[in-house]
Amino acid sequence: MFKGSMVAIITPFRADGSVDEEAFRQLVEFQIENGTDVLVPCGTTGESATLSYEEHDQVIRACIEQARGRVPVVAGTGSNSTAEAIEISRHAKEMGADGLLLVSPYYNKPSQEGLYQHYKAIAEAVALPQILYNVPGRTGMNMQAATTIRLAEISNIVAIKEASGDVTQAGEILSKAGDKIDVLSGDDFLTLPLMAIGAKGVISVTANIMPKQVKAMVSAIEAGRWDEARALHLKMLDIHNAMFIESNPVPVKTAAALLGRCGDQVRLPLVSLQSASLEKLKQVMGRYELL
């Protein structure tokens, strides 16, 4: 349902810390103009953890309004509170979101049964296509393949963003439930390996600054042009890695600022990119002729 080159779009802030909606709308246009297939606001890269309820609604609404149906909008509405996730998800549906991205509950560290019941409750409460999001590095626990396979039986759970870094786990999901749930790469540097075994695309960080190139690689894979895809994958590895020289989204937002697309402000407890990391980022961006 949702496939191809998808962007986990950043949320720009003004100098006073408020959401810069004008810059955000310009970022949406930049993505659509460069071939991005799906917009994903209010994910990890969009600093969802420090957005208020009102700001969540503001960003999702702005994304939907600016996209004007040209590409789908999958709203990040996850929370470590099931009731809260349902509330935010209902708001996104009311505003016209095409789908939901739901991060696994963080901090609580639920059991696999707890994860199942969490996602089942949201699916039953909100009639929208839903993408599970497994990111152990952020949540403190891994959603096992068996749990994902079990959740695949729920009709409006349509995909999982796999950011566990475990290609074997993704392969198990595809082998046992690939006809019921799509796998999407949650790591730019694993897009090609995961798509090689059947994943349908990527929810990308790098696409914030290089949407055309990410789209080109995904399109090459989809068309079976493997030599071209492999060359693009290897060519982009350094920039993918540079997006994680410090905690996401600090490097990618800094990169977007260096390109003049928005400010580099992040919210505490995140801080601006440290000077040594900034120099490394500039060097890498220079090699890609971005600066």
Side-chain angles (χ1 to χ4, degrees), residues 24-71:
F24 179 77
R25 287 174 179 268
Q26 290 172 359
L27 291 174
V28 169
E29 285 300 318
F30 173 62
Q31 291 297 323
I32 294 173
E33 289 167 4
N34 283 278
T36 295
D37 296 301
V38 180
L39 301 168
V40 186
C42 296
T44 304
T45 310
E47 292 177 75
S48 57
T50 52
L51 295 179
S52 67
Y53 283 134
E54 293 78 15
E55 288 168 334
H56 259 92
D57 287 355
Q58 178 187 0
V59 172
I60 293 167
R61 183 182 293 108
C63 193
I64 293 165
E65 288 178 354
Q66 195 65 33
R68 299 193 304 278
R70 290 174 289 171
V71 297

Side-chain angles (χ1 to χ4, degrees), residues 38 162 238 288:
V38 180
E162 259 294 337
D238 283 351
Y288 285 83

Side-chain angles (χ1 to χ4, degrees), residues 188-199:
D188 280 290
F189 37 81
L190 285 180
T191 302
L192 186 144
L194 287 174
M195 290 189 74
I197 63 170

Side-chain angles (χ1 to χ4, degrees), residues 75-120:
T77 57
S79 172
N80 66 330
S81 162
T82 305
E84 186 175 292
I86 289 171
E87 180 180 354
I88 301 170
S89 297
R90 282 175 171 157
H91 284 186
K93 183 177 187 294
E94 290 166 3
M95 288 185 283
D98 299 288
L100 308 173
L101 177 70
L102 298 158
V103 68
S104 293
Y106 38 86
Y107 192 78
N108 311 56
K109 297 188 77 172
S111 65
Q112 295 299 305
E113 180 63 25
L115 285 174
Y116 175 80
Q117 294 298 338
H118 170 81
Y119 281 119
K120 179 174 179 284

Side-chain angles (χ1 to χ4, degrees), residues 120-189:
K120 179 174 179 284
I122 301 169
E124 290 174 347
V126 187
L128 273 182
Q130 299 179 12
I131 301 175
L132 315 176
Y133 180 14
N134 183 37
V135 57
R138 292 276 185 173
T139 64
M141 52 80 199
N142 177 51
M143 184 157 67
Q144 297 170 7
T147 303
T148 303
I149 292 163
R150 191 178 169 202
L151 285 164
E153 298 297 326
I154 300 172
S155 61
N156 59 325
I157 293 178
V158 299
I160 179 167
K161 178 183 177 182
E162 259 294 337
S164 64
D166 189 341
V167 178
T168 301
Q169 177 164 284
E172 186 176 350
I173 294 165
L174 287 164
S175 69
K176 295 179 179 174
D179 58 336
K180 296 173 182 173
I181 191 168
D182 291 333
V183 170
L184 305 170
S185 175
D187 297 302
D188 280 290
F189 37 81

